Amino acid sequence: MALLTFIGAIQEVTGSCYLLETRDGMRVLLECGMRQGRSASKGTRDNEASNAAPFPFDPKQLDAVVISHAHLDHSGLLPRLAKEGYSGPIYATESCCDLLELMLMDSAHIQEKDAEWENKWRARLNRPPVKPLYTLEDASRALNLRRRVSYGSTVEVARGIRVTFHNAGHILGSAIVEIEIHEFGLTRRLVFSGDLGSTCSPLMRTPTPLNRADVVLLESTYGDRDHRDGNETLLELAGILEQAQRDGGNVLIPSFAVGRTQDLLYYLGRFYQEGRLPQKMVYLDSPMAAQANNIYLRHANEFADADREYIRGTGTTRLDEWLPILRTTQSVDESMALNRIQSGAIIIAGSGMCTGGRIVHHLKHNLWREECHIVFPGFQAKGTLGRAIVDGAETVRILRQRISVRAKIHTLGGFSAHAGQSQLIQWVGHFEHKPELYLIHGEREKMDALQKALGDRLGWNANIPEPGDRIAI
């Protein structure tokens, strides 16, 4: 009988990590995510310390690693894993492998720069220097371990353990992970939902329904609510853009470089093609997002058929034709120049929760201006600057300065790349015979709400594990 240990993303939304061990000694790590933001029980610095803490397993003893998708809360500690001696294969879908290179190298660069900045301050105070969590060399070492697997193909990742990736519809390359465990003449099946996409999300396909499992791990990021109708959200966004143009200010959109940015550019392109985009310029102030755009275009065969046909129907074949007023910035000087623009611009920049990146500088220059509009198109985790603004803070601290929040703040839940409560229940409802169900990757109150809804609608008792819990499969 195999054992599964719940390590990360347990009653929180980041740090996804689970260890599968079989009786004949095989050890497979499912996810290796970084903790981000701040949970109710952990401060930001606690999460930084958690990312640097020793793994609760020996990386050298792992036989394989399986990654559902490229977001850092699912993959961000892979370089540290390689740094600590892991040298086995890392399995992911083909397009996920491409995005992993972008995400991990960028993360390593940030780790090195943050350590360099911190050490400048420490030198002034005669404090010992710190080392980065991992380096570009560590990230490169991890990327060399990638093994590409196409959707629907089954691969034996370790003796007696077979994995099949199914489309999760969350971001490009995202996967539902189906794991078959064969030992002593018996087969047991574990299904990990990964992050399930919303059926309203553009470009991505609907998550693949599965019906056979002995144990299911179900994400619960939005386990307490359903998202607004996608068409209503688009109408709201169009209204915000029109009002911002009348007010004479800019529109700032904090956005994740991978996934959310591509959704936004698709929608803004639709507005442009339909003559409904009042702004004269859209700036994508994220070199990483620009690179992600290219990866998305290389894998356009994975787009939903309806969206691909819509784009083809406009006669456009390239992004500069789809949204001709889009400009991308590369250098820091180009980014800083945007702060001189007083009105008429849409600026999309990372990070999505305003925990760093170029959006922080743009907020410093626009957040205090009543004529400006800030649009949050996705979830803001506890402890992030984005969450503070969404929750109605009158002032926030940005780059060591106290800034008043006078801009108009908007949240667009309908743009979430995560399934809402009803979509989660619908997807898990396809499973026959009600396998053991465990809720993961969600704040506790979201899990409690989803647990109750599953009981009320399906008569299904879902378990909420504690960190470090182990179950038999």
Side-chain angles (χ1 to χ4, degrees):
M1 184 174 294
L3 292 175
L4 181 74
T5 304
F6 296 92
I7 297 173
I10 309 303
Q11 301 181 32
E12 59 180 328
V13 294
T14 66
S16 189
C17 189
Y18 317 90
L19 179 63
L20 178 65
E21 302 170 272
T22 64
R23 281 193 291 179
D24 61 351
M26 295 292 100
R27 296 162 64 87
V28 173
L29 191 67
L30 177 59
E31 312 280 71
C32 192
M34 180 181 286
R35 282 186 170 87
Q36 300 169 304
R38 182 178 67 198
S39 67
S41 60
K42 293 179 181 289
T44 303
R45 293 191 179 278
D46 291 325
N47 277 339
E48 291 175 358
S50 176
N51 289 328
F55 290 109
F57 50 80
D58 184 354
K60 297 176 183 177
Q61 297 301 313
L62 296 175
D63 295 285
V65 175
V66 177
I67 300 296
S68 70
H69 67 285
H71 277 154
L72 291 180
D73 59 327
H74 293 257
S75 70
L77 290 186
L78 286 173
R80 233 202 93 209
L81 196 74
K83 178 180 180 180
E84 299 292 333
Y86 178 69
S87 59
I90 297 172
Y91 293 94
T93 66
E94 294 173 339
S95 47
C96 175
C97 284
D98 287 345
L99 287 175
L100 278 174
E101 181 169 2
L102 175 64
M103 300 289 280
L104 297 182
M105 293 302 282
D106 180 77
S107 177
H109 175 73
I110 291 172
Q111 297 298 330
E112 290 186 349
K113 288 299 181 182
D114 283 353
E116 180 182 336
W117 177 259
E118 176 70 17
N119 286 334
K120 288 181 180 179
W121 284 94
R122 285 175 169 264
R124 295 177 185 176
L125 300 173
N126 291 320
R127 293 180 179 176
V130 298
K131 293 182 178 180
L133 183 65
Y134 50 76
T135 64
L136 288 165
E137 183 180 354
D138 298 324
S140 180
R141 186 180 296 113
L143 290 167
N144 288 335
L145 304 176
R146 288 172 296 172
R147 301 292 184 273
R148 299 171 182 267
V149 182
S150 58
Y151 282 120
S153 297
T154 300
V155 58
E156 186 171 54
V157 300
R159 187 173 64 251
I161 301 177
R162 298 176 184 173
V163 167
T164 307
F165 291 119
H166 304 278
N167 201 315
H170 175 57
I171 64 168
L172 186 74
S174 60
I176 299 160
V177 183
E178 181 181 12
I179 302 176
E180 296 178 10
I181 305 160
H182 303 272
E183 55 180 354
F184 306 108
L186 298 175
T187 298
R188 300 282 287 174
R189 184 172 280 105
L190 165 69
V191 172
F192 170 54
S193 71
D195 284 356
L196 293 176
S198 170
T199 53
C200 299
S201 296
L203 301 179
M204 296 297 96
R205 299 179 185 272
T206 301
T208 303
L210 302 179
N211 56 26
R212 293 186 303 160
D214 297 292
V215 175
V216 175
L217 307 183
L218 178 65
E219 70 118 322
S220 52
T221 308
Y222 284 100
D224 63 336
R225 75 190 84 165
D226 286 327
H227 303 307
R228 289 184 60 194
D229 176 77
N231 291 325
E232 290 181 7
T233 301
L234 284 178
L235 287 174
E236 182 181 2
L237 176 60
I240 293 169
L241 298 179
E242 291 171 1
Q243 184 61 50
Q245 189 70 5
R246 289 194 295 269
D247 291 345
N250 296 317
V251 179
L252 269 57
I253 308 180
S255 182
F256 294 110
V258 177
R260 189 62 44 76
T261 292
Q262 288 71 42
D263 292 352
L264 287 167
L265 294 179
Y266 172 77
Y267 285 132
L268 293 176
R270 273 186 54 178
F271 287 168
Y272 179 87
Q273 296 292 330
E274 296 165 3
R276 295 195 293 148
L277 188 60
Q279 279 73 21
K280 301 303 181 184
M281 198 63 67
V282 176
Y283 294 98
L284 177 57
D285 191 20
S286 171
M288 183 179 177
Q291 293 179 63
N293 291 345
N294 294 331
I295 295 174
Y296 265 68
L297 292 173
R298 287 207 306 269
H299 293 277
N301 61 302
E302 294 185 22
F303 292 175
D305 293 339
D307 295 324
R308 198 164 62 239
E309 286 302 314
Y310 183 91
I311 295 171
R312 186 178 292 129
T314 65
T316 61
T317 58
R318 301 191 312 270
L319 188 57
D320 59 353
E321 295 175 339
W322 177 247
L323 185 55
I325 63 173
L326 176 67
R327 299 291 181 270
T328 59
T329 61
Q330 293 295 329
S331 70
V332 173
D333 288 343
E334 288 175 317
S335 176
M336 292 174 62
L338 300 184
N339 293 322
R340 295 195 292 270
I341 299 174
Q342 294 298 301
S343 65
I346 299 172
I347 301 174
I348 303 171
S351 67
M353 296 185 192
C354 308
T355 54
R358 295 182 175 183
I359 192 63
V360 175
H361 296 270
H362 299 310
L363 287 171
K364 177 183 175 181
H365 288 269
N366 291 271
L367 191 59
W368 52 272
R369 300 175 59 208
E370 294 181 356
E371 67 272 24
C372 290
H373 292 247
I374 316 298
V375 179
F376 289 92
F379 181 80
Q380 302 297 306
K382 290 180 179 179
T384 62
L385 174 58
R387 181 66 166 261
I389 296 172
V390 165
D391 284 348
E394 294 183 358
T395 65
V396 292
R397 193 166 181 80
I398 299 178
L399 300 174
R400 302 180 184 273
Q401 294 184 29
R402 182 62 59 177
I403 304 293
S404 295
V405 180
R406 293 179 182 153
K408 297 175 180 67
I409 310 301
H410 311 270
T411 57
L412 297 176
F415 279 164
S416 175
H418 285 268
Q421 185 189 83
S422 294
Q423 295 168 339
L424 291 169
I425 292 174
Q426 181 183 29
W427 181 80
V428 82
H430 286 94
F431 286 97
E432 300 170 353
H433 312 301
K434 291 188 175 69
E436 289 182 50
L437 179 58
Y438 293 86
L439 303 184
I440 55 170
H441 208 280
E443 295 170 353
R444 180 61 197 239
E445 59 268 28
K446 311 294 193 289
M447 292 182 167
D448 289 338
L450 181 57
Q451 184 185 52
K452 184 178 185 303
L454 285 162
D456 292 344
R457 298 191 204 179
L458 301 181
W460 196 343
N461 181 40
N463 302 284
I464 300 178
E466 297 289 336
D469 278 359
R470 305 180 83 191
I471 62 169
I473 298 178

